[in-house]
Amino acid sequence: MSSTVRTRLRLAGALAAVLVAAGIAGGPAAQAHEKPRTTLADLAQRHGRYFGSATDNPELTDTAYTRILGSEFDMITPGNGMKWYATEPQQGVFDWTKGDEIVNLARANHQKVRAHTLVWHSQLPGWLTGREWTADELRAVLKNHIQTEVRHYRGKVYAWDVVNEAFNEDGTYRETVFYKTLGPGYIADALRWAHQADPRAKLYLNDYNIEAVGPKSDAYYRLAKELKAQGVPLHGIGLQAHLALQYGYPTTLEDNLRRFARLRLDTALTEVDIRMLLPATEEKLAQQAEWYGDLTEACLAVRRCVGITVWDYTDKYSWIPAFFPGQGAALPWDEQLAPKPAYTAIREALG
């Protein structure tokens, strides 16, 4: 099948989905004989995978949004509610309100939770960034934060992004407060502490721009190999997959997933969105759809790629426009919660 034909089919499928959702197509007689529609989660489960979405607390008051969130996906990631600034706003004073809200919603909808994130250089509370620490002091602070949070959610989450974005683009370590004070060993320590607090949770390292084979993903490969050799409890690598049409598709993605699998590590596409320069056009949406389909097929091709999470499912709540002015339309549903060609492409890839 030519790419042109595939694109036309995807556009037609997406239009049909929009019309049905809007009640324009499929009259009462037809609908009475329809089987319940399979969701992305249903389709992914047939392959032994999950299909998830991130979410955040402010949008949970949007009932139309939560209806889709609760039915289409089987894995949820809290976008911000489990980060350090939210969970330990004052030293030793913990607040689980936002994280608990999302965990409770997921449990009510029979969904699992990918917990995000324990150690990151960003969104840290002022009490942590506003002073100098000795190595002993910071080590104690880090251990207490990790173990207190992981114990709180013990048995309630499927996996943790333990350390997030530890490397620069050239494969050198990012100069975070943790690296500068504790050295690279903080990563192994963080994994060990998290494992002690919840031995059943899957533990991941997570980063962006590591989808393709290159200096940054090579750094993770070397680190993962070292950690495995040392017996450190690392179970997976999270490839965020924040992509942009103008920068090209990571054509070595499948090869990259396979080499981590050879280390006996799971992989997951953890924060998927595919942004474009606005305005969105039919051609850009078709290209985006093809990329979403290709990402899905790459994960399905590698047994240890366990699932895919989109970084929220709708353009209505995407982080992209605020951080990349003039860009957006990055997700499989539009701002009106209608499915786009990307949604149809994902379904086809999973089908």
Side-chain angles (χ1 to χ4, degrees):
M1 186 185 298
S2 73
S3 61
T4 301
V5 173
R6 283 201 307 271
T7 298
R8 286 174 178 167
L9 285 173
R10 287 170 178 167
L11 289 169
L15 178 59
V18 171
L19 293 175
V20 170
I24 299 171
Q31 291 173 5
H33 297 287
E34 283 179 0
K35 295 179 180 178
R37 188 184 62 79
T38 54
T39 65
L40 295 183
D42 294 332
L43 294 171
Q45 287 169 12
R46 295 175 185 177
H47 300 275
R49 309 301 201 276
Y50 65 78
F51 205 98
S53 176
T55 191
D56 209 358
N57 301 81
E59 52 254 40
L60 298 185
T61 58
D62 182 340
T63 55
Y65 165 85
T66 56
R67 190 177 306 118
I68 296 172
L69 180 72
S71 61
E72 192 77 37
F73 308 99
D74 57 350
M75 187 73 73
I76 297 296
T77 300
N80 290 292
M82 291 183 177
K83 291 174 180 173
W84 201 320
Y85 83 104
T87 56
E88 193 179 359
Q90 301 174 55
Q91 186 173 1
V93 179
F94 289 85
D95 182 353
W96 311 116
T97 307
K98 292 181 178 179
D100 283 358
E101 182 182 20
I102 291 172
V103 169
N104 292 338
L105 179 68
R107 296 182 82 180
N109 291 321
H110 308 289
Q111 298 162 313
K112 294 182 178 179
V113 175
R114 287 195 85 259
H116 175 83
T117 174
L118 294 169
V119 188
W120 190 31
H121 65 274
S122 186
Q123 290 180 262
L124 295 170
W127 64 263
L128 180 59
T129 58
R131 54 159 288 186
E132 296 293 322
W133 300 90
T134 68
D136 286 345
E137 288 171 338
L138 187 58
R139 181 179 169 85
V141 164
L142 184 59
K143 181 178 181 180
N144 184 62
H145 177 79
I146 290 171
Q147 295 206 316
T148 302
E149 183 163 6
V150 175
R151 276 196 299 264
H152 177 79
Y153 289 110
R154 180 171 176 160
K156 298 179 181 179
V157 303
Y158 160 79
W160 278 100
D161 289 330
V162 178
V163 179
N164 196 47
E165 300 175 5
F167 287 101
N168 296 313
E169 297 302 302
D170 63 359
T172 59
Y173 281 97
R174 188 187 288 272
E175 295 280 330
T176 68
V177 62
F178 308 109
Y179 177 78
K180 289 188 291 185
T181 308
L182 302 174
Y186 83 91
I187 296 175
D189 285 338
L191 291 162
R192 291 188 184 103
W193 294 330
H195 184 66
Q196 289 169 6
D198 186 354
R200 299 184 67 178
K202 300 289 187 181
L203 305 181
Y204 279 71
L205 304 178
N206 189 58
D207 214 325
Y208 63 93
N209 285 354
I210 61 168
E211 296 75 34
V213 175
K216 196 174 187 181
S217 61
D218 288 348
Y220 275 99
Y221 181 80
R222 288 191 299 270
L223 175 61
K225 197 171 183 178
E226 292 168 5
L227 294 172
K228 294 288 284 185
Q230 296 165 13
V232 176
L234 172 66
H235 305 117
I237 301 294
L239 298 82
Q240 293 181 11
H242 292 296
L243 305 184
L245 294 183
Q246 62 269 31
Y247 298 132
Y249 182 82
T251 56
T252 52
L253 171 61
E254 187 177 324
D255 292 336
N256 202 25
L257 295 174
R258 289 190 188 282
R259 67 170 174 167
F260 285 111
R262 287 193 291 269
L263 295 179
R264 292 182 296 171
L265 287 170
D266 290 344
T267 53
L269 306 181
T270 57
E271 304 183 18
V272 180
D273 48 30
I274 303 173
R275 65 187 186 270
M276 63 186 68
L277 298 173
L278 298 174
T281 64
E282 184 176 307
E283 290 75 20
K284 290 176 186 176
L285 291 172
Q287 184 183 7
Q288 179 190 62
E290 188 161 348
W291 285 25
Y292 267 106
D294 290 345
L295 283 175
T296 304
E297 289 171 359
C299 184
L300 295 181
V302 180
R303 184 179 60 84
R304 295 202 69 153
C305 182
V306 297
I308 299 170
T309 297
V310 289
W311 204 240
D312 222 324
Y313 70 86
T314 166
D315 294 333
K316 184 176 182 179
Y317 296 117
S318 174
W319 69 292
I320 295 294
F323 286 84
F324 298 95
Q327 300 181 49
L331 292 160
W333 279 258
D334 68 17
E335 293 186 9
Q336 286 71 48
L337 307 184
K340 293 158 59 177
Y343 172 79
T344 305
I346 295 167
R347 290 187 64 87
E348 288 179 356
L350 292 171

